[in-house]
Amino acid sequence: MLKEAKSSKIAKGLVVLSLNEEGRVEPEKINHILTELKKEPARRALPILRKFLTLIKRQINTYEGSLEKFDSNADSSSNLISDKISHARGKKINLVIQENQSLIAGFRMRIGDDVYEDSIASRIARLKKSLT
Amino acid sequence: MSSITDLIRKEIENLSTDATRTNVGTIATLADGVARVEGLSKVMYNEMVEFPNNVLGIALNLEEDSVGCVLLGETSLLKEGDEARTTGKLLSVPVGKGLLGRVVDAVGRPIDEKGPIDSDITYPVERIAPGIIPRKSVTQPLQTGIMAVDSMIPIGRGQRELIIGDRSTGKTTIAIDTIINQAKINKKGKESGDANFRPVYCIYVAVGQKNSNVARTIKVFEETGAMEYVTIVSAPAADNPANQYLAPYAGCAMGEWFMENGMDALIVYDDLSKHAVAYRQISLILKRPSGREAYPGDVFYLHSRLLERSARLNEDNGNGSLTALPIIETQMGDVSGYIPTNVISITDGQIFLETDLFNKGIRPAVSVGLSVSRVGSAAQIKAYKKVSGKVKLELAQFRELAAFSQFESDLDAATKARLDRGARIVELFKQSAFNPVSVEIQTAVMWAVQNDFFDSIEVSNIASSVNSLKEYLSTQGTEACEEIYKSGKLEKETEEKLRSALEDWKRTQS
Amino acid sequence: MITLASLSETTSGIVEKFGIDWPLLVAQGFNFILVAVIIWHFGLKKVLLTIKEREEKIADSLKNAEKIKLELESTEKQQQETLQEASLEAKKTIALAQEKAKSYIESQKEEARKQAEEIIEKARSSMALERQRVLNDAREEIASLVVLTASKVLQRELGDDEKSRFSESAAKEIKFSA
């Protein structure tokens, strides 16, 4: 457990080194870290790297998300949603627009572990749940 | 059919059109009834988590990188990569009188094929026990109907009395007899129409039992007419350990409803040893650090928070009570084991059952020396206290002198008298299973012993004589018993009536 | 002397007349005495003893008989009393037994009636349960149909404009928190 804590501490330190002033992950900095680690591999490189990967993914999820709509076109609704979530989170959130016909209409946005949904499919699913 | 369409129309009209926000995660590993979920960053401890195919889980391990959830349903329907979402709710079970006469599982779902539970109220399974101020001391008796217990180890409403012993020593039988006796008393009280009568509702929690045992218990309750006052919460051995872990808390929540609504309830946990084993399994799979005997460090808290929820509340809080009869199985009579010592220190006394006594034919095999009730005679009616006050001492003296009984011819008259009296009391306390005796008849029988009515009867005939006396008192000598039942006291006139009834009975014996 | 001689003449006259032979008489007398002694010693004494014993026995028996008679009388009296008591007890027991039998029959009737009621009640409640189950099943089926229909219709019938309008309004209404 102590070793895990140590690996975790090292990985967290590496994450801090990978971020820019806005708190976003910079690929160049990550490449630089990986190169340095290859030159002088740490004793428990694998757990540290695993933890590093998890933390980087988590960090990315704080400012990147996905927006599912019935079509893949960016329109005023998707821009409005992007602006609103950026305002709420206090930073610019990048939303990748994906097509999902099963929604019928509306949207489903996922950012990190939070899922916001207001679609016809979700309302129908809610109705089904309340009826059964 | 129109009711169905009305229902559907109503649901459609009431459908919420707001956006939903949920917190989700992905199953990373799934093994032995526990799912490790990555994500779920906003889940709270003990929150219900929803998995696909209507499987529910509880978040028990909140770690930095993942959440350990124990699964409550069919785990074979899940796979790695499935999405889990928070529900924002704690696990709750239905409570209320609609549960009486029903058999439910650990989350309150009916398993007796008698339709849905008639209940609108739910209580969370984990609740904080009543504090110090709302409580009151235990003064009302809870009659088990077992003479050996009611006379020497009396139990009161709101007490926690542990039933401890090796396997097959009659622990469950004592609990079942107590429940049957409550049903008998409830029926009698209902028929009497007494406005001050307080029935006792019972909950029997079967943890890790064989399904056949639970079925047999249900049959006994049905045959004795006790089922209408009992709720059975069943988490058999075939259930996953999460259900076995939750079942006692679910049962306790059902009992708390009665307690908080001014009623009296009795809950039997059968048994907490298997409950601790199920919790150990969950904790080991969740990779929590293990301690003595591989139990997790909080195994004491597991039982203390459960048993502390049984209490007697004062009048300002409804004057209700929840009496607990936890059962613990020992190995080879070792009461100094980890779990037994834990639970002994939590409860307000124990009834210790010995294998030796059981094998000798003394059933219930109550060890008078090791059994104690910390509430004591405060939980006995005055009449019974009067006649049974000396019994424990007499039995203790008998045990001390029993070694000398082989030299019977060399003993002085006083010692011989003590030996005779002790041997008769031991025979008197033998009772068949599922046959509880009402307190007024117990009082009458004890009075008969104290007034030497059994001294002329051979020890080997005592058991049959007692049965004959009990029958006589139930059919012909009812006047004195009725007075004891109504007043709870043993006045001079009652004693005279009792004496005359006993003399009449004695004549039929010779 | 004359008297003596006349006495002796008379005596010899008598002896001659009656044939008394003095030596024979003496011998016979001796024999008689001997036999008498023998008979007394070996026979009569014992017989008399036996007779005495028997007389004593008879006297005792008579005494016992008296005693027995008294005892018999008292026993008979006791017997009568016991019989009377027993008969009273028997009457009481019979009356009690009759009462018990009556109340037993009544309770059995009551029991049978209750059981019949219970059976009817069970049948009623199981019918109600069955009905409820059927209704629940029907409700679920209808609900599934409703949902499926709505989903299919909406998917097919909603135009792109309407879908966009819905998305716009959803985007406007939604509120995000940190």
Side-chain angles (χ1 to χ4, degrees), chain B residues 419-439:
Chain B
L419 281 170
D420 286 342
R421 176 58 62 86
R424 279 168 177 76
I425 293 173
V426 168
E427 287 296 311
L428 197 82
F429 282 159
K430 286 183 185 175
Q431 202 169 326
S432 55
F434 314 138
N435 232 338
V437 178
S438 61
V439 67

Side-chain angles (χ1 to χ4, degrees), chain A residues 1 8 12 51 54-55 58 89 107 110 112-118 122-124 126-127 129-131, chain B residues 7-8 11-12 15-26 39-42 50 64-65 83:
Chain A
M1 244 157 79
S8 186
K12 279 179 189 167
K51 185 76 184 176
T54 311
L55 290 171
R58 209 185 278 176
R89 295 280 170 112
F107 69 92
R110 179 167 179 166
D113 296 330
D114 293 324
V115 173
Y116 300 88
E117 186 166 355
D118 191 0
S122 70
R123 291 187 190 188
I124 290 174
R126 221 181 300 158
L127 176 66
K129 203 171 175 183
S130 68
L131 288 175
Chain B
L7 198 74
I8 292 174
E11 289 294 336
I12 293 171
L15 186 67
S16 156
T17 53
D18 298 332
T20 55
R21 177 192 170 167
T22 47
N23 194 246
V24 301
T26 318
L40 287 180
S41 51
K42 295 194 173 58
E50 204 179 340
E64 196 179 1
D65 300 331
E83 193 179 82

Side-chain angles (χ1 to χ4, degrees), chain B residues 441-461:
Chain B
I441 291 185
Q442 286 189 40
T443 310
V445 170
M446 290 305 301
W447 187 89
V449 169
Q450 301 295 358
N451 287 275
D452 310 331
F453 277 87
F454 285 101
D455 287 356
S456 57
I457 300 175
E458 283 294 316
V459 174
S460 51
N461 293 334

Side-chain angles (χ1 to χ4, degrees), chain B residues 226-472:
Chain B
M227 196 65 198
E228 63 180 285
Y229 296 103
V230 185
T231 302
I232 298 181
V233 179
S234 173
D239 249 1
N240 58 48
N243 281 7
Q244 292 182 39
Y245 158 66
L246 285 172
Y249 297 103
C252 192
M254 295 171 193
E256 277 173 327
W257 181 85
F258 290 104
M259 178 173 72
E260 289 171 8
N261 285 278
M263 291 174 268
D264 295 327
L266 164 71
I267 183 162
V268 175
Y269 302 108
D270 191 2
D271 58 56
L272 290 185
S273 319
K274 295 191 178 66
H275 180 233
V277 166
Y279 184 57
R280 178 172 64 184
Q281 181 172 343
I282 292 170
S283 296
L284 289 171
I285 295 168
L286 286 171
K287 301 237 188 316
R288 291 183 177 179
S290 56
R292 180 177 165 184
E293 293 178 30
Y295 286 105
D298 62 344
V299 75
F300 183 92
Y301 182 53
L302 173 79
H303 291 145
S304 65
R305 73 178 187 270
L306 173 68
L307 293 170
E308 278 296 305
R309 286 160 71 176
S310 301
R312 181 171 175 206
L313 300 180
N314 56 26
E315 281 83 9
D316 295 338
N317 290 279
N319 204 21
S321 70
L322 178 61
T323 311
L325 292 181
I327 295 178
I328 288 278
E329 187 177 298
T330 50
Q331 303 297 327
M332 310 267 280
D334 180 24
V335 284
S336 59
Y338 188 27
I339 305 298
T341 44
N342 277 356
V343 183
I344 287 172
S345 64
I346 297 168
T347 52
D348 305 320
Q350 65 271 357
I351 297 171
F352 187 59
L353 301 171
E354 282 184 346
T355 314
D356 290 343
L357 294 175
F358 189 85
N359 292 338
K360 276 187 210 163
I362 298 171
R363 300 170 194 185
V366 177
S367 163
V368 179
L370 289 173
S371 305
V372 74
S373 166
R374 298 184 205 191
V375 167
S377 59
Q380 275 180 322
I381 57 172
K382 283 200 170 69
Y384 206 12
K385 202 191 302 191
K386 198 173 168 186
V387 297
S388 65
K390 292 188 290 181
V391 167
K392 203 167 183 183
L393 184 65
E394 282 172 350
L395 270 183
Q397 287 174 341
F398 168 68
R399 275 197 321 276
E400 290 245 339
L401 297 170
F404 296 109
S405 61
Q406 49 191 326
F407 306 115
E408 213 173 294
S409 57
D410 298 329
L411 301 167
D412 60 286
T415 311
K416 210 162 169 298
R418 268 200 214 117
L419 281 170
D420 286 342
R421 176 58 62 86
R424 279 168 177 76
I425 293 173
V426 168
E427 287 296 311
L428 197 82
F429 282 159
K430 286 183 185 175
Q431 202 169 326
S432 55
F434 314 138
N435 232 338
V437 178
S438 61
V439 67
E440 55 272 16
I441 291 185
Q442 286 189 40
T443 310
V445 170
M446 290 305 301
W447 187 89
V449 169
Q450 301 295 358
N451 287 275
D452 310 331
F453 277 87
F454 285 101
D455 287 356
S456 57
I457 300 175
E458 283 294 316
V459 174
S460 51
N461 293 334
I462 290 284
S464 55
S465 302
V466 167
N467 286 336
S468 147
L469 174 60
K470 284 175 187 170
E471 209 188 303
Y472 181 84

Side-chain angles (χ1 to χ4, degrees), chain B residues 37 100 117 185 206 209 216 224 227 229 233 289 298 336 379 383 419 422 457 490:
Chain B
V37 180
L100 294 172
I117 300 289
I185 295 171
Q209 303 276 316
R216 203 176 331 130
T224 53
M227 196 65 198
Y229 296 103
V233 179
D298 62 344
S336 59
L419 281 170
I457 300 175
L490 206 55

